[in-house]
Amino acid sequence: MAATVSPSRREPLVSQPHLRTVVVLAAGEGKRMKSALPKVLHPLLGRTLLGHVLSAAAPLEADRTVVVVGHGADQVRAHLAEIAPDAIPVLQAEQLGTGHAVRIALEAVPDATGTVVVINGDVPLLRPETVSALVHAHEQAGAAATVLAAEVPDPTGLGRIVRAADGRLEQIVEERDATPAQRAIREINAGSYAFDVVRLRDALGKLSTDNDQGEEYLTDVFGLLNSAGEPVAVHVAPDHVETLGCNDRVELAALRRLLRDRINEGWMRTGVSLLDPETTWIDVTVALDRDAVVDQNTQLRGATVVGSGAVVGPDVTLVDTVVGEGATVLRSHAVGAEVGPGASVGPYAYLRPAARLAGKAKVGTFVEVKNSEVGPGAKVPHLSYVGDATIGAKANIGAATIFVNYDGVNKSRTVVGEGAFIGCDTSLIAPVEVGAGAYVAAGSAITQDVPPGALGVTRAPQRAIEGWVARKRPGTVSAEAAERALRAAEGASSGAAAASEGEAIHGDDHALGGESRGGDTATD
Ligand code: UD1
Ligand code: MG
């Protein structure tokens, strides 16, 4: 199916007139997260905070990307190796401030020329378009430094943009160093910047630690350059929501809701129906085709793709799962699965990795499928476990069939041929093969191959031990019911032979017991 390009995979919006270096600051601990996981590694709808920031910078096609690591450096490095193997991790052993962090980062790229873009690692809602516009404005203006700013309702804790009477940037003042008048300013530093590398290096060498935190502030670069007569600029973000940082888990949850709304709106505008956007959580990495329908309380995660006309939900979680055109998935959980076009899943199915359902296949209620192919039009409607199996086209697997794939040491495969019919409550004990068009009688434990067109049956002959209940369970509800039934039958066939005495065994000498009543062997 042709997956629609997700909103996060847009084309680069700016040309590349300059060489660029991106620096992401990710050494801080994020104390208020109260977590063993470094703050920048917390997940948010398909990417970590750091992953979101890197992807916002991706359209710049930077020559090099440097990530300053510190707290949890090993974990952050390992994550970078996965998501951005070309990025250069640089260790800031002690967090001596954002200015110090950038100074260390630039030591790793001594030959950098052109523009250096610095982004705080904790602003995951920043959009690629905004970063591109910041850099574009900076380069067009030939500024020495440009800061991304935003007007916010509550500026508490953030650096304030201090402008001169003519509107030009004078300096950036941290809240704890600000005068009461400066604290009243609601235009804040959003934590993303563009710099001319030569002038940035020069200013970083002049930073002092003469402030409330005793740190080297990157933000002081603006005041220094301004005093030296260098042009410094402010670029205002179109929406302050993009610039929201994340300091604790309450803020993280708020960011998640904001990102959810942005993603959901994007999909609805491309022609996807979301029946309840507030309870629909779609990772940025997911792709949905036009006219897909997502019903309420549904999570679509990772590399999930949903085809045109498919209906997913309510109450569905899909992780790395591909759903074909016109398929339905209802109240189910799937990880690493494929659901073919027109196939039907659930309610209450569990598809595990490498469960592959062909077109129009059906996996129904309380069915678990793992590492198996369910052929075109094949049905596994109820209460079954299908593990390590290949099920042919249009085969019918009766209720409570178990594919016994594990002997405690090894896993083995079961093959069920095209058009085969497996009776209810059957164990197919792998490795075993049921041939094309073969039947298996309900209640069988199949350990040997069943040839094509044959009936496989392992049932013991049925016995009826007459009068057993009256003798062994006298006075019970069953005994009373049996007595009434037997009396009624006697009355009806007066003169008929009396019930036999003792423990006579009426063995059913019909070895296949019930095989002639094929309709009893499976459910549909
Ligand atoms: C910073 C800005 C503030 C701005 C705010 C926006 C400074 C001095 N202040 O404040 O003006 O409004 O961001 O969110 O820059 N980091 C390091 N090494 C360090 C210190 C920080 O890598 O030594 C990283 C952190 O991991 C974080 C980023 O830099 O990703 C920003 O640091 P943080 O401590 O959050 O700065 P704020 O106080 O938020
Ligand atoms: Mg911060």
Side-chain angles (χ1 to χ4, degrees):
M1 90 198 60
T4 313
V5 174
S6 85
S8 58
R9 293 181 211 152
R10 294 203 175 111
E11 294 294 302
L13 292 180
V14 290
S15 56
Q16 270 76 55
H18 298 272
L19 280 177
R20 290 168 180 154
T21 304
V22 167
V23 175
V24 176
L25 304 184
E29 182 180 7
K31 266 200 197 80
R32 283 176 284 164
M33 297 296 283
K34 302 199 173 151
S35 177
L37 196 64
K39 175 162 92 176
V40 292
L41 296 190
H42 278 259
L44 186 67
L45 292 179
R47 293 194 186 108
T48 58
L49 300 187
L50 179 57
H52 281 289
V53 169
L54 287 170
S55 87
L60 298 176
E61 293 182 351
D63 200 31
R64 270 159 314 177
T65 298
V66 179
V67 178
V68 181
V69 301
H71 275 280
D74 290 343
Q75 290 174 75
V76 179
R77 274 201 208 93
H79 179 59
L80 276 177
E82 245 176 67
I83 64 160
D86 292 338
I88 307 163
V90 169
L91 182 68
Q92 185 193 27
E94 261 187 290
Q95 280 66 61
L96 303 176
T98 47
H100 179 256
V102 173
R103 198 146 58 75
I104 289 186
L106 291 186
E107 283 167 15
V109 285
D111 54 343
T113 57
T115 303
V116 175
V117 180
V118 177
I119 310 180
N120 287 354
D122 62 352
V123 285
L125 298 195
L126 193 62
R127 290 182 312 139
E129 292 85 342
T130 301
V131 179
S132 295
L134 163 71
V135 173
H136 191 63
H138 168 80
E139 289 171 354
Q140 289 286 105
T146 306
V147 58
L148 184 69
E151 185 93 24
V152 296
D154 176 13
T156 307
L158 296 166
R160 307 298 205 277
I161 302 291
V162 180
R163 294 180 185 255
D166 64 0
R168 286 187 310 159
L169 176 65
E170 250 176 13
Q171 57 170 329
I172 301 171
V173 180
E174 292 308 298
E175 175 165 278
R176 44 210 306 174
D177 304 304
T179 63
Q182 288 168 335
R183 281 188 197 182
I185 299 170
R186 287 194 298 116
E187 187 178 25
I188 56 89
N189 165 20
S192 295
Y193 321 82
F195 299 99
D196 167 66
V197 66
V198 176
R199 287 178 280 187
L200 173 61
R201 274 190 210 278
D202 185 52
L204 286 172
K206 296 175 183 159
L207 287 181
S208 81
T209 54
D210 183 17
N211 53 52
D212 189 61
Q213 296 190 87
E215 289 184 353
E216 289 179 41
Y217 288 164
L218 176 61
T219 44
D220 284 350
V221 162
F222 285 83
L224 285 168
L225 289 174
N226 185 44
S227 303
E230 297 282 3
V232 291
V234 181
H235 180 79
V236 180
D239 177 3
H240 84 270
V241 158
E242 283 191 53
T243 69
L244 292 174
C246 172
N247 292 303
D248 59 31
R249 299 190 201 223
V250 175
E251 287 179 5
L252 181 62
L255 293 185
R256 186 172 286 115
R257 289 191 292 272
L258 289 165
L259 185 56
R260 173 202 64 197
D261 291 346
R262 183 195 288 175
I263 293 167
N264 287 354
E265 183 177 335
W267 285 120
M268 289 187 280
R269 294 207 184 285
T270 67
V272 173
S273 285
L274 305 183
L275 302 192
D276 186 16
E278 303 239 307
T279 63
T280 300
W281 299 85
I282 303 174
D283 281 358
V284 290
T285 43
V286 165
L288 305 172
D289 277 350
R290 229 173 140 132
D291 287 320
V293 177
V294 183
D295 206 338
Q296 67 182 10
N297 200 23
T298 292
Q299 297 91 46
L300 306 179
R301 291 162 44 188
T304 292
V305 176
V306 179
S308 181
V311 179
V312 173
D315 307 328
V316 165
T317 299
L318 303 180
V319 183
D320 300 332
T321 290
V322 177
V323 177
E325 285 179 19
T328 59
V329 183
L330 172 62
R331 292 189 215 282
S332 292
H333 189 97
V335 181
E338 280 173 41
V339 177
S344 132
V345 175
Y348 309 110
Y350 180 22
L351 304 182
R352 291 170 51 201
R356 285 190 285 270
L357 280 53
K360 299 205 165 130
K362 174 182 173 130
V363 164
T365 309
F366 300 117
V367 174
E368 175 177 337
V369 182
K370 182 217 77 170
N371 190 31
S372 295
E373 283 88 46
V374 181
K379 292 179 180 177
V380 192
H382 345 259
L383 298 161
S384 291
Y385 172 65
V386 180
D388 301 307
T390 302
I391 297 174
K394 296 199 168 164
N396 189 315
I397 311 297
T401 295
I402 304 299
F403 287 69
V404 183
N405 60 331
Y406 186 43
D407 63 8
V409 179
N410 297 305
K411 305 249 164 91
S412 304
R413 284 198 80 81
T414 299
V415 176
V416 173
E418 178 186 351
F421 186 96
I422 310 297
C424 292
D425 196 22
T426 291
S427 297
L428 299 170
I429 300 172
V432 75
E433 180 164 351
V434 177
Y439 269 55
V440 170
S444 294
I446 297 296
T447 53
Q448 289 164 32
D449 292 354
V450 180
L455 171 74
V457 55
T458 63
R459 260 193 252 144
Q462 185 172 330
R463 307 186 303 165
I465 302 168
E466 303 284 357
W468 187 93
V469 173
R471 288 192 307 281
K472 302 289 193 186
R473 299 288 184 271
T476 61
V477 170
S478 305
E480 286 161 13
E483 200 186 328
R484 279 195 300 277
L486 288 168
R487 236 188 264 129
E490 252 171 47
S493 59
S494 53
S500 60
E501 275 182 10
E503 296 212 340
I505 298 167
H506 279 221
D508 182 355
D509 58 3
H510 205 306
L512 298 184
E515 124 267 24
S516 54
R517 296 174 293 147
D520 288 347
T521 62
T523 55
D524 192 20

